[in-house]
Amino acid sequence: MEFQYFYGSQADQFSFIRIPKMMLTEDTFSALSIPAKVLHGVLLDRMSLSRKNGWFDEENRVFIIYQIGEIQEDLGFSKKKAMELLSELQEFGLLEKKRRGHGLPNILYVKSFM
């Protein structure tokens, strides 16, 4: 496959998932797998959308709803892998899940690491 160059303003045509640099460079985060770091970047991106949509809980915390099936579809992970990565982020302390029951999807809180 041969790809073309970017010219002029074409370089700005994509949206990007941002992974905080410190997650890649700081020893604190060395135990996290690269796929977990990528998923965390996606969760941060989804969080900005939740903020714009006014998804705040009673304590004014931003939350997201991102179901396993969506993670599978968006990132190409198996169900097992998506669940493992969410657990990895949760065990590391970067994510908290709140179960809602009654067939409703879990609420996810992405935690600040600053």
Side-chain angles (χ1 to χ4, degrees), residues 42-57 61-66 107-108 110:
V42 172
L43 296 175
L44 289 173
D45 184 64
R46 300 274 301 215
M47 195 171 63
S48 67
L49 181 62
S50 289
R51 184 188 53 79
K52 289 177 188 171
N53 288 333
W55 288 11
F56 301 96
D57 69 7
R61 298 177 298 186
V62 179
F63 64 87
I64 63 175
I65 296 174
Y66 196 29
I107 287 176
L108 303 177
V110 182

XYZ file of all heavy atoms in Angstrom, residues 42-57 61-66 107-108 110:
215
model
N -9.137 7.021 24.975
C -10.487 7.014 24.394
C -11.517 7.416 25.450
O -12.436 8.188 25.175
C -10.810 5.629 23.788
C -12.273 5.542 23.368
C -9.897 5.345 22.607
N -11.350 6.913 26.663
C -12.265 7.273 27.749
C -12.196 8.763 28.052
O -13.223 9.409 28.294
C -11.959 6.456 29.006
C -12.165 4.948 28.905
C -11.692 4.263 30.188
C -13.599 4.586 28.600
N -10.998 9.340 28.027
C -10.852 10.783 28.236
C -11.562 11.555 27.135
O -12.214 12.581 27.397
C -9.371 11.184 28.277
C -8.583 10.759 29.504
C -7.098 11.081 29.313
C -9.126 11.431 30.757
N -11.461 11.073 25.906
C -12.143 11.720 24.789
C -13.659 11.655 24.984
O -14.363 12.645 24.776
C -11.735 11.043 23.485
C -12.317 11.718 22.269
O -11.966 12.903 22.027
O -13.106 11.086 21.552
N -14.151 10.511 25.380
C -15.588 10.346 25.627
C -16.050 11.233 26.787
O -17.173 11.717 26.803
C -15.920 8.886 25.948
C -15.590 7.881 24.879
C -16.646 7.706 23.878
N -17.910 7.287 24.446
C -18.750 6.470 23.842
N -18.448 5.953 22.674
N -19.900 6.175 24.387
N -15.173 11.456 27.751
C -15.518 12.276 28.893
C -15.769 13.725 28.467
O -16.681 14.384 28.980
C -14.417 12.206 29.946
C -14.860 12.729 31.285
S -13.669 12.409 32.581
C -12.274 13.333 32.006
N -15.002 14.220 27.513
C -15.224 15.595 27.058
C -16.586 15.719 26.380
O -17.264 16.732 26.514
C -14.092 16.064 26.137
O -14.088 15.345 24.935
N -17.012 14.675 25.686
C -18.344 14.666 25.082
C -19.429 14.627 26.167
O -20.441 15.335 26.072
C -18.482 13.461 24.140
C -19.807 13.305 23.416
C -20.085 14.492 22.506
C -19.797 12.011 22.600
N -19.205 13.840 27.200
C -20.160 13.782 28.314
C -20.305 15.141 28.978
O -21.409 15.563 29.322
C -19.710 12.756 29.355
O -19.849 11.457 28.865
N -19.186 15.823 29.141
C -19.216 17.163 29.748
C -20.062 18.104 28.906
O -20.906 18.836 29.419
C -17.799 17.703 29.908
C -17.734 19.046 30.625
C -16.339 19.650 30.598
N -15.780 19.739 29.263
C -16.088 20.687 28.358
N -16.984 21.597 28.647
N -15.514 20.710 27.174
N -19.861 18.066 27.594
C -20.642 18.926 26.691
C -22.126 18.589 26.751
O -22.966 19.469 26.605
C -20.146 18.775 25.252
C -18.801 19.393 25.003
C -18.338 19.133 23.579
C -16.900 19.577 23.394
N -16.353 19.155 22.094
N -22.442 17.308 26.983
C -23.839 16.878 27.051
C -24.453 17.052 28.441
O -25.612 16.712 28.643
C -23.962 15.410 26.626
C -23.758 15.235 25.141
O -24.009 16.131 24.352
N -23.278 14.064 24.747
N -23.660 17.532 29.390
C -24.168 17.769 30.733
C -24.346 16.517 31.568
O -25.204 16.468 32.440
N -23.515 15.495 31.310
C -23.616 14.254 32.073
C -22.806 14.371 33.358
O -21.648 13.977 33.426
C -23.138 13.071 31.236
C -24.086 12.694 30.140
C -25.168 13.386 29.705
C -24.018 11.522 29.341
N -25.771 12.728 28.678
C -25.093 11.571 28.431
C -23.153 10.443 29.295
C -25.320 10.577 27.505
C -23.388 9.454 28.363
C -24.465 9.515 27.480
N -23.432 14.930 34.376
C -22.830 15.108 35.693
C -23.710 14.392 36.708
O -24.934 14.386 36.574
C -22.749 16.594 36.070
C -21.950 17.424 35.104
C -22.584 18.138 34.092
C -20.577 17.492 35.211
C -21.853 18.901 33.203
C -19.835 18.248 34.323
C -20.477 18.957 33.318
N -23.078 13.817 37.726
C -23.869 13.185 38.773
C -24.225 14.218 39.839
O -23.937 15.411 39.686
C -23.147 11.952 39.340
C -21.898 12.288 40.135
O -21.607 13.487 40.386
O -21.189 11.342 40.521
N -19.678 15.293 39.312
C -18.620 14.523 38.662
C -19.079 14.129 37.259
O -20.209 13.676 37.077
C -18.294 13.258 39.458
C -17.781 13.538 40.868
C -17.552 12.260 41.628
N -18.824 11.530 41.784
C -18.964 10.432 42.509
N -17.930 9.909 43.141
N -20.136 9.841 42.604
N -18.202 14.305 36.285
C -18.503 13.903 34.917
C -18.455 12.382 34.851
O -17.570 11.754 35.420
C -17.477 14.485 33.920
C -17.786 14.052 32.498
C -17.424 15.996 34.017
N -19.431 11.782 34.155
C -19.415 10.341 33.963
C -19.631 10.030 32.483
O -20.082 10.876 31.720
C -20.474 9.637 34.821
C -21.897 9.983 34.474
C -22.582 9.274 33.491
C -22.554 11.013 35.127
C -23.891 9.582 33.172
C -23.869 11.327 34.818
C -24.536 10.612 33.835
N -19.262 8.819 32.112
C -19.482 8.371 30.744
C -20.229 7.048 30.772
O -20.218 6.333 31.778
C -18.166 8.225 29.939
C -17.260 7.150 30.535
C -17.433 9.542 29.845
C -16.009 6.886 29.715
N -20.867 6.762 29.667
C -21.477 5.457 29.445
C -20.846 4.930 28.168
O -20.985 5.533 27.103
C -23.005 5.549 29.319
C -23.592 6.047 30.644
C -23.593 4.203 28.923
C -25.074 6.322 30.606
N -20.089 3.866 28.311
C -19.350 3.293 27.180
C -19.404 1.783 27.366
O -18.674 1.212 28.163
C -17.919 3.815 27.192
C -17.134 3.640 25.917
C -17.746 3.618 24.674
C -15.761 3.528 25.978
C -16.999 3.486 23.511
C -14.999 3.398 24.824
C -15.625 3.376 23.599
O -14.886 3.248 22.442
N -22.211 3.111 34.683
C -21.661 4.456 34.589
C -20.172 4.330 34.884
O -19.768 3.609 35.803
C -22.354 5.396 35.619
C -23.763 5.708 35.144
C -21.533 6.654 35.821
C -24.553 6.548 36.120
N -19.363 5.011 34.102
C -17.913 4.986 34.282
C -17.429 6.378 34.683
O -17.808 7.366 34.072
C -17.205 4.552 33.011
C -17.586 3.193 32.425
C -16.838 2.967 31.116
C -17.289 2.081 33.409
N -13.948 8.347 34.939
C -12.516 8.379 34.640
C -11.900 9.302 35.681
O -12.316 10.451 35.813
C -12.240 8.893 33.211
C -10.761 8.877 32.925
C -13.004 8.057 32.194
